[in-house]
Amino acid sequence: MQLEDYFEFLTPEDIRIKGTRVGIEHVLYEYIHCGKTPEAIAQKFRTLTMAQVYATILYYLENQETVGKYVGGWLEYCLKAEAEYDRNPSPFVLKMRQIKEKKNTFTQLDRVH
């Protein structure tokens, strides 16, 4: 079995671990940025086998420049999406924030009395 056989290359921006919906970026984020062990990653992503986790890490190690750019692009996208969401929250989020503010106000009033 070739290393690439572990993956589905859907688009240049979407590489998934074969037989799952898990993108390699999720495993590599845990490995690179969070410093988690392969065992801890496999526990977090229970649909993955240890072989799939190790294959993903090895694919990164064998292709650090290319895969590093792939993960970097994903992180950049996530940060932009999060910033946009923070600037324009959904009506549901706005309503939940109002409820939380009211609850905090009542909690503070209860402490005073």
Side-chain angles (χ1 to χ4, degrees):
M1 179 177 243
Q2 298 291 323
L3 187 57
E4 287 79 10
D5 293 341
Y6 280 93
F7 310 105
E8 293 181 75
F9 298 87
L10 302 177
T11 70
E13 295 83 28
D14 190 4
I15 304 171
R16 308 260 176 112
I17 298 169
K18 191 170 275 185
T20 75
R21 294 174 48 195
V22 180
I24 65 169
E25 64 274 8
H26 298 288
V27 170
L28 295 175
Y29 179 81
E30 297 294 327
Y31 179 73
I32 299 167
H33 296 285
C34 299
K36 291 194 178 171
T37 65
E39 292 77 15
I41 295 168
Q43 284 184 331
K44 181 171 183 164
F45 298 99
R46 296 196 180 271
T47 59
L48 301 180
T49 66
M50 284 301 301
Q52 290 172 315
V53 173
Y54 278 111
T56 304
I57 294 168
L58 181 59
Y59 183 69
Y60 163 71
L61 293 174
E62 293 291 322
N63 303 283
Q64 282 190 21
E65 186 175 334
T66 304
V67 177
K69 287 179 185 176
Y70 173 89
V71 174
W74 173 75
L75 285 172
E76 184 178 319
Y77 168 79
C78 289
L79 292 173
K80 284 181 183 178
E82 185 177 350
E84 178 62 27
Y85 183 79
D86 288 343
R87 283 192 299 278
N88 299 303
S90 70
F92 175 76
V93 170
L94 292 173
K95 182 69 175 172
M96 295 307 295
R97 287 178 183 170
Q98 290 174 344
I99 292 169
K100 184 177 178 181
E101 286 177 29
K102 285 181 183 179
K103 181 180 175 186
N104 288 340
T105 300
F106 288 129
T107 302
Q108 290 172 359
L109 288 174
D110 284 344
R111 289 183 188 157
V112 171
H113 292 113

